[in-house]
Amino acid sequence: MASLFVRIDLASGDHIGPGKVDLLEQISEHGSIAAAGRAMGMSYRRAWELVEELNETFGRPVVQSRTGGKSGGGAELTPLGYLVVGRYRALQKAVDKASQGHLSAIQAELKGRRA
Amino acid sequence: MASLFVRIDLASGDHIGPGKVDLLEQISEHGSIAAAGRAMGMSYRRAWELVEELNETFGRPVVQSRTGGKSGGGAELTPLGYLVVGRYRALQKAVDKASQGHLSAIQAELKGRRA
C-alpha cells in the first residue's frame, strides 16, 4: 500500500517529522532516552541530538528527568512533549483520511496494478 | 507560517513528492523538459532522470514529445502526467485543510510565539 510521509516544516527552518515523534513515543514507553534510541537502532548521541533539536524549536523541554522510582531515574515527556506527540498523531490520522481518495486514484495507475 | 511537506511513499520503494510534481507542472507550462529544469534551477540531466523515474513508477510515460507547431517540438504531459499533477495538488489541498487545526496548535507552542 502507498502511504504518506508527512513532515512539519516550520518558518524557522526547523522540522518535526515522524523520526522525532517516534522517538518521543519510545521515550514515553521506555522511560529513558538511551532505551528509546536503542529500540529505534539509534545511537544515544543521535537520540539526544533530536531531543535537543525539539527543545530548541519550542524554547523549552519536551523531555525531563524522572528522578526516583525503582528504576532510579530516567526520562519522561513533559506536557509539551505529550502535546507534540498527540497533535502530530492526530494530524497524521486526519491527513491519511483526507488523502485516501486521491492516493487510491494515483495507486490505481501504478505499474503492475493495471489489468 | 508552518507548512506540511507531503510525499507519497509507494510500496515499490518509489516516491512521488513536490519536486517531481513541480517539474511536471513546469513542463506543462514551458512545453520543454530543458526549460522546465532551467526554471527550477535543475540540470537537464536531473530533470530527465526525474521524468524517467516517474515513467518507471507508472510503467508508461508521464511526458511525451510534442511534434510540430511553431516551437518545433518540445514536450508535453500525457493524460497520466496531468492526472498525477491534478491528484497530487488536490491531495495537498485536502491535507492542508485537514491538518490546519493540529498545525496551529503545535505552532502556538513554538519559541517566540509565546506571550
Side-chain angles (χ1 to χ4, degrees):
Chain A
M1 265 298 292
S3 63
L4 278 196
F5 172 90
V6 174
R7 189 185 64 213
I8 301 172
D9 289 349
L10 301 170
S12 60
D14 293 339
H15 306 289
I16 304 172
K20 287 176 183 167
V21 176
D22 288 351
L23 178 63
L24 289 183
E25 272 187 343
Q26 292 289 324
I27 291 170
S28 165
E29 190 180 327
H30 294 279
S32 144
I33 295 178
R38 271 197 303 276
M40 295 178 69
M42 190 185 283
S43 72
Y44 183 57
R45 183 196 166 85
R46 180 66 186 141
W48 254 110
E49 280 173 0
L50 290 177
V51 168
E52 274 305 311
E53 277 180 36
L54 282 168
N55 293 345
E56 178 55 34
T57 292
F58 289 100
R60 59 200 198 283
V62 292
V63 173
Q64 64 194 2
S65 300
R66 195 187 46 179
T67 51
K70 63 177 176 181
S71 61
E76 63 187 359
L77 301 191
T78 63
L80 173 61
Y82 281 112
L83 181 145
V84 172
V85 171
R87 285 292 189 172
Y88 186 89
R89 291 305 178 209
L91 183 153
Q92 201 168 38
K93 225 173 231 180
V95 155
D96 283 344
K97 194 175 166 191
S99 61
Q100 214 165 18
H102 300 301
L103 207 54
S104 298
I106 290 173
Q107 202 164 16
E109 302 294 335
L110 292 176
K111 181 173 58 173
R113 303 250 332 169
R114 300 168 69 204
Chain B
M1 266 297 293
S3 63
L4 279 196
F5 172 90
V6 175
R7 189 185 64 211
I8 301 172
D9 289 350
L10 301 170
S12 60
D14 293 339
H15 306 288
I16 304 172
K20 286 176 183 166
V21 175
D22 288 351
L23 178 62
L24 289 183
E25 272 186 343
Q26 292 290 324
I27 291 170
S28 165
E29 191 180 327
H30 294 279
S32 143
I33 294 177
R38 270 197 303 276
M40 295 178 70
M42 190 185 281
S43 71
Y44 183 57
R45 183 195 167 85
R46 181 65 187 141
W48 254 110
E49 280 173 0
L50 291 177
V51 168
E52 275 304 311
E53 277 180 35
L54 282 168
N55 292 345
E56 177 56 34
T57 293
F58 289 100
R60 58 200 198 282
V62 291
V63 173
Q64 64 194 2
S65 300
R66 195 187 46 178
T67 52
K70 64 177 177 181
S71 62
E76 62 186 359
L77 301 191
T78 63
L80 173 62
Y82 281 111
L83 180 146
V84 171
V85 171
R87 285 292 189 172
Y88 187 90
R89 291 305 179 210
L91 181 154
Q92 200 168 39
K93 227 174 229 181
V95 155
D96 283 345
K97 194 175 166 193
S99 61
Q100 214 164 19
H102 300 301
L103 207 53
S104 298
I106 290 174
Q107 202 164 17
E109 301 294 335
L110 293 177
K111 182 174 60 174
R113 303 250 333 171
R114 300 168 68 203

